[in-house]
Amino acid sequence: MAPPILTLKDIRLRLGAHPLFTGVELAIGGRDRLSLVGRNGAGKSTLMKVIAGDIQADAGERFVQPGVRVVYLPQEPDLSRFTTLQEFMLAGLPAAHIAERALAEVGLSPDLFTAGLSGGERRRAALARAFAAAPDILLLDEPTNHLDLAAIDWLEGKVNAFRGALVIISHDRMFLKNVTSAVLWLDRGIVRRLDRGFAHFDAWAEAVYVEEDAARARLEKKIEEETHWLHRGVTARRRRNEGRLARLVALRKEKAAQIARAGAVEMKVDAGTMSGKSVIDAKGITKSFDGKTLFKDFTTRIGRGDKVGVIGPNGAGKSTLLNVLLKRLEPDSGTVKLGSNLTVAFLDQSRSALKETTTLQDALADGNDYVDVLGHKKHVASYARDFLFTSEQLRAPVSSLSGGERNRLLLARTLAKPSNLLVLDEPTNDLDMETLDLLEDLLADYAGTLLLVSHDRDFLDRVVTSTIALAGDGAAIEYAGGYSDYVRQRGPRAVATPEKPKPAKRDETSEKKAPATRLSYKHKRRLEELPGEMAAAQKNIATLEATLADPTLYARDATAFGDASRRLEALQAKLAALEEEWLELELLREEMEGE
């Protein structure tokens, strides 16, 4: 086995009085594909900077093999020191032709001024420079932020073709599943490593937590026993029992030193009074800007309780479509009718509602001590704690917050407002995965109507009931289901249209039977077989999930845990393929029967 090309040993770092790292150990091999995960505020970006050598730890050792080159792409690439993209690229690359070729790959001109670039353009330029530099270790902090779905597909291809080592911080579950093969979990100041793909992380983390809870219970039981002995009369036996007393003191110190798991975000949303059954009725709407048609002759009807996702390339008009549907912008043609009794809460993509100098308390409560939440007054400090902010942070300016903390603050502001129509424009940027899971649960249970713009494919799959896809050329089509459903439905139409059968002569008695005979025998047979195969796969998946739910399995037999995890992953992939095959045959059957 080749030695690691970069190691961290016993890394310790404090931020003020707060210990961020308490003994981080880390080794990166030459072809590692590592996802770095952890709560917002756990120190993931800081650890990346330590790995890159941009931050010096208080204690510990960082070793890099001679000749190894490390390139770090931060969460917010700063291009402000450069006038044009050409200048920015040449600051990290040896030759102009390399810079121009890298920019051409992401569709950017070297003559573009950096001051006028969108967030997606800045990100694409920074990624192009990082890959073109051909480093031995590439560190990517939230690389999918501000990228549209096409750019994320491109990035996945670049990452999978990259021949060096990678460490990636991302909230995009599907991206991490597709490009990484091991997980670094930064939790309460230390790093744990799982040499399995990201799909196995949740089960592994839960097993770690369960074992910790069991260890904590054993420790508390031991303290209780030792304390009972102490109360029975330590004084009379002081000399011969000083060691036992010292052990009790040590146990208490051990418990006090244990760092409890961070609490979960307490998200609640007030669905307000019920809206009318029809929420938005748009007919034949068209909108253009600067000679570019964003969407043309688009019609949709959104009812109470619908959860609608909006996807498309950057610049395709997603935010514009939201504003037209909400009648904040007038369409060039067509009509929009809003339902009765609507109360709208809007999370803006630009995050313009936050001012850098504003304190958290002012941002949450407009300078007041209380926030109206679900029809009741709640102290701003208590509401801030629900979103994992401390009382000390209430007096801090917004400028002191990380990207994830800013997004949590905006969610706190938005969700406090009663609404029966919730509009979220890119709400997932910079959120950690646990907060994303909670937001997904909240939106799934939300009694009102949801409009959601997002590039997070996994998030869309879990939340929305239909998807409006903007192509960027004026086409806008609504599909049933989430992102994966959109891909399945779009796929056959984009690749090939089933050939229409030639009309055959038939009499009236055969008219009703004709549609049922249009599928081939092979297709009909598969439609009959697939439900049984899917049920068998689901049964086997349930058995393996029950096995992996055993909190002691990983500690008892890590090999068995790994084998079960691999079998579960293979079965889940098989079930997904069976379901896709069944859906394609059903769509073909419905299309033929509808002719």
Side-chain angles (χ1 to χ4, degrees):
M1 183 176 180
I5 58 176
L6 186 149
T7 57
L8 300 182
K9 185 176 181 180
D10 196 24
I11 295 295
R12 298 175 182 273
L13 181 67
R14 300 180 72 88
L15 292 181
H18 175 61
L20 192 61
F21 305 140
T22 56
V24 167
E25 304 277 343
L26 176 63
I28 300 175
R31 294 301 300 275
D32 277 353
R33 296 286 192 274
L34 306 172
S35 55
L36 174 56
V37 303
R39 274 270 176 87
N40 282 343
K44 300 187 297 295
S45 294
T46 303
L47 181 57
M48 278 285 218
K49 292 173 184 176
V50 172
I51 296 172
D54 291 351
I55 288 181
Q56 181 70 39
D58 297 334
E61 179 185 346
R62 172 183 179 267
F63 172 76
V64 184
Q65 290 281 4
V68 167
R69 187 180 181 201
V70 182
V71 169
Y72 167 54
L73 180 62
Q75 190 173 135
E76 294 296 337
D78 182 12
L79 279 63
S80 61
R81 296 184 293 111
F82 307 97
T83 303
T84 66
L85 278 183
Q86 178 85 338
E87 291 180 19
F88 167 70
M89 298 296 286
L90 289 177
L93 297 175
H97 72 277
I98 298 176
E100 291 171 4
R101 186 168 63 243
L103 286 174
E105 187 177 354
V106 294
L108 296 173
S109 167
D111 298 325
L112 285 174
F113 291 106
T114 59
L117 298 178
S118 67
E121 289 169 332
R122 288 196 300 272
R123 177 74 59 182
R124 279 152 48 203
L127 284 166
R129 190 177 82 170
F131 280 106
D136 300 288
I137 301 176
L138 182 55
L139 310 175
L140 302 177
D141 193 347
E142 293 290 0
T144 64
N145 274 2
H146 307 295
L147 294 185
D148 57 28
L149 294 171
I152 292 173
D153 285 340
W154 167 84
L155 177 59
E156 286 187 357
K158 291 293 288 185
V159 167
N160 286 324
F162 181 66
R163 299 186 63 82
L166 281 153
V167 184
I168 301 174
I169 297 172
S170 179
H171 66 274
D172 188 326
R173 290 174 177 272
M174 192 173 293
F175 179 72
L176 291 180
K177 288 176 183 177
N178 290 343
V179 303
T180 63
S181 57
V183 183
L184 301 174
W185 181 21
L186 177 57
D187 181 46
R188 290 161 289 167
I190 62 171
V191 170
R192 298 178 176 88
R193 176 165 174 153
L194 173 67
D195 285 313
R196 300 290 301 152
F198 179 76
H200 303 275
F201 169 70
D202 287 332
W204 173 64
E206 185 60 29
V208 170
Y209 280 148
V210 169
E211 177 57 31
E212 282 187 352
D213 289 341
R216 188 172 291 111
R218 292 193 295 269
L219 177 61
E220 290 176 352
K221 180 67 175 175
K222 183 68 174 175
I223 291 174
E224 181 182 346
E225 291 172 353
E226 293 296 308
T227 302
H228 180 62
W229 163 83
L230 177 66
H231 289 163
R232 286 206 313 267
V234 67
T235 304
R237 299 182 295 276
R238 181 173 300 277
R239 283 190 176 179
R240 67 174 185 264
N241 288 305
E242 282 181 354
R244 190 170 181 181
L245 179 59
R247 284 195 298 274
L248 174 58
V249 172
L251 287 172
R252 287 174 172 166
K253 286 182 178 179
E254 180 183 347
K255 182 180 178 182
Q258 286 179 341
I259 304 174
R261 298 198 297 271
V265 177
E266 293 288 337
M267 288 189 185
K268 297 178 182 179
V269 61
D270 186 353
T273 56
M274 186 177 292
S275 69
K277 187 175 181 180
S278 175
V279 175
I280 299 173
D281 190 0
K283 294 181 180 178
I285 56 174
T286 297
K287 189 67 179 178
S288 300
F289 275 117
D290 297 328
K292 178 183 178 181
T293 301
L294 300 177
F295 44 88
K296 183 178 182 181
D297 296 330
F298 177 63
T299 296
T300 186
R301 182 172 294 171
I302 299 172
R304 182 176 63 224
D306 286 348
K307 296 177 173 63
V308 182
V310 182
I311 64 174
N314 288 338
K318 299 183 295 295
S319 298
T320 301
L321 178 60
L322 289 185
N323 284 307
V324 170
L325 292 176
L326 296 172
K327 299 194 75 170
R328 295 183 171 194
L329 280 176
E330 287 296 321
D332 298 336
S333 61
T335 61
V336 176
K337 182 179 179 181
L338 296 181
S340 59
N341 200 31
L342 286 183
T343 307
V344 181
F346 198 119
L347 178 64
D348 184 6
Q349 180 185 168
S350 69
R351 313 300 189 246
S352 57
L354 292 180
K355 296 180 180 179
E356 295 290 304
T357 56
T358 303
T359 65
L360 268 70
Q361 179 161 349
D362 287 341
L364 281 174
D366 296 323
N368 299 313
D369 291 331
Y370 291 88
V371 184
D372 287 322
V373 181
L374 302 180
H376 301 283
K377 287 190 177 297
K378 189 169 187 175
H379 196 276
V380 64
S382 177
Y383 188 58
R385 281 196 298 272
D386 289 345
F387 287 81
L388 304 184
F389 293 113
T390 64
S391 299
E392 291 76 16
Q393 285 180 295
L394 286 175
R395 296 182 291 275
V398 167
S399 59
S400 67
L401 300 180
S402 69
E405 288 171 329
R406 292 186 189 211
N407 219 21
R408 270 195 274 126
L409 176 60
L410 279 165
L411 282 170
R413 283 169 52 96
T414 303
L415 299 181
K417 301 172 183 176
S419 69
N420 49 36
L421 175 55
L422 186 58
V423 185
L424 303 178
D425 195 350
E426 292 290 0
T428 65
N429 282 349
D430 305 315
L431 292 182
D432 60 50
M433 289 172 189
E434 291 181 75
T435 305
L436 274 176
D437 287 343
L438 291 164
L439 180 58
E440 287 168 2
D441 292 341
L442 178 145
L443 295 178
D445 295 335
Y446 179 54
T449 305
L450 173 69
L451 295 180
L452 169 68
V453 174
S454 180
H455 297 308
D456 190 319
R457 297 159 293 180
D458 186 76
F459 190 76
L460 288 163
D461 277 346
R462 296 180 186 215
V463 171
V464 304
T465 56
S466 68
T467 302
I468 298 172
L470 302 181
D473 58 2
I477 303 175
E478 187 166 6
Y479 298 86
Y483 176 78
S484 297
D485 299 306
Y486 148 75
V487 170
R488 284 194 289 265
Q489 294 171 69
R490 175 209 61 186
R493 289 178 174 82
V495 176
T497 302
E499 184 181 350
K500 292 184 179 181
K502 295 179 180 180
K505 292 182 179 180
R506 53 186 181 274
D507 57 29
E508 288 181 73
T509 59
S510 64
E511 182 73 21
K512 293 181 181 178
K513 296 180 181 179
T517 62
R518 289 181 178 179
L519 279 179
S520 69
Y521 173 79
K522 180 180 178 181
H523 286 161
K524 287 193 295 182
R525 181 70 180 268
R526 283 303 291 158
L527 273 175
E528 292 171 357
E529 294 172 344
L530 282 168
E533 292 181 17
M534 289 189 290
Q538 289 168 341
K539 182 178 179 180
N540 291 331
I541 286 172
T543 300
L544 284 170
E545 286 177 338
T547 300
L548 290 168
D550 180 358
T552 65
L553 176 61
Y554 185 82
R556 286 188 291 105
D557 192 342
T559 301
F561 181 90
D563 290 342
S565 298
R566 282 189 291 274
R567 293 200 304 274
L568 177 60
E569 186 175 16
L571 275 172
Q572 288 171 334
K574 178 182 178 181
L575 178 60
L578 292 171
E579 289 173 341
E580 184 170 350
E581 182 183 2
W582 177 84
L583 179 61
E584 288 176 355
L585 288 174
E586 275 293 310
L587 288 171
L588 181 61
R589 180 183 64 79
E590 290 174 5
E591 184 169 349
M592 288 182 170
E593 289 181 354
E595 291 175 358

